[in-house]
Amino acid sequence: MAAIDDLKSILNYYGLGSLVNSLSDKIIADPTLVASPDILLFSIKDTPEYKTRFKGNEQRRAAGLPELSPIDYINTESALRTTLSGNSLPKGFYDTQDDLASFIGQDISPNELNARVSQGYNAVMQAEPGTKAELKQLYGLSDGDIAAFFIDPTRFNQSDAIKKAQAAQIASEARRQAGFTLDVTAAEALATEGITRGQAQQGFQQIGATQELLGMDLQGETALTQAEQIAGTFGTNQAAAQRIATRRRKRQASFEQGGGFAQTQQGMTGLNTVGQ
């Protein structure tokens, strides 16, 4: 009968097709119910199927947020999916019904989600390959984990995510500019000190350009370790910074005397402490 067909159409649209059989008798008794989907859906609001389908509303209610109407809920899901696909996220990344329910439950709008994806996830994934590689190397993250950093605050603390991203950028610059492989502790220490990517690039360029000076025994001084070179260059250890300054003065003296070593390093006498 037409009323049952209408019932199927309504319930399937809202993802509640499993309730067709249980509601058939009610519709047969009162066909006018299908004339008002709102009334029909309200009549099944307390069923487990409804609560599962619109579980984002359950989260909203628990958080003291107003529930969305079924049609607003469906439209918000659609807008969230469009945001994810529009940002070229791989299929399967935060586009399941449960993922969307989590966004809705946390009152994350499509605009906010778009900002998280474009400014966070895509900023890392579309940056130079080293940052993404370091996120995987330092923290063992998959692409999905990297997405979670920026998209889903329930899986990672947002400030922690930003710090890890900064650490990965620093580690990438260390590898690119100086050939250094930083561990988590070293990379996060620089991030905690507020070293920006630009400062990291500058500092590790300086280290890379003076490797022969800093990394060798010179006039009675032993070579500086990698940790000392980093700490001295970025000003996190004054003793290391002093050793670098001493090396620079000795090199300058050698240069003034026409030393071969100084000549091969011409143009790099002004090693400055980064960030100071």
Side-chain angles (χ1 to χ4, degrees), residues 36-211:
S36 176
D38 288 341
I39 294 175
L40 173 64
L41 293 171
F42 185 81
S43 73
I44 61 174
K45 195 173 182 180
D46 293 328
T47 63
E49 291 85 353
Y50 183 97
K51 290 181 178 180
T52 297
R53 175 62 187 87
F54 298 104
K55 67 167 57 176
N57 271 339
E58 297 296 309
Q59 296 175 32
R60 291 177 69 87
R61 184 162 52 249
L65 297 169
E67 293 183 51
L68 301 182
S69 69
I71 189 62
D72 286 341
Y73 194 104
I74 295 292
N75 288 339
T76 300
E77 282 184 328
S78 177
L80 290 169
R81 281 198 177 95
T82 298
T83 296
L84 292 167
S85 62
N87 278 284
S88 302
L89 263 73
K91 186 174 177 58
F93 275 17
Y94 297 92
D95 59 1
T96 69
Q97 201 167 89
D98 283 348
D99 292 325
L100 300 178
S102 179
F103 293 143
I104 291 172
Q106 296 171 77
D107 204 28
I108 297 174
S109 69
N111 285 340
E112 181 180 348
L113 179 61
N114 183 66
R116 290 181 182 221
V117 175
S118 61
Q119 297 172 19
Y121 174 72
N122 281 344
V124 170
M125 300 298 281
Q126 295 175 6
E128 49 82 28
T131 299
K132 177 180 172 182
E134 290 296 341
L135 277 171
K136 294 185 176 183
Q137 175 68 28
L138 294 175
Y139 303 106
L141 300 180
S142 66
D143 286 355
D145 292 328
I146 296 173
F149 259 167
F150 300 100
I151 297 172
D152 189 350
T154 66
R155 302 193 189 185
F156 291 98
N157 177 278
Q158 193 74 0
S159 61
D160 186 53
I162 293 172
K163 179 179 178 180
K164 285 179 168 57
Q166 291 171 337
Q169 291 175 339
I170 290 169
S172 176
E173 292 301 334
R175 189 184 298 274
R176 287 202 311 145
Q177 307 297 341
F180 283 2
T181 299
L182 301 189
D183 60 16
V184 171
T185 300
E188 288 192 354
L190 290 174
T192 300
E193 289 291 333
I195 300 301
T196 66
R197 182 172 193 163
Q199 290 173 330
Q201 182 181 37
Q202 177 189 355
F204 285 111
Q205 278 179 343
Q206 291 178 1
I207 291 173
T210 55
Q211 276 292 288

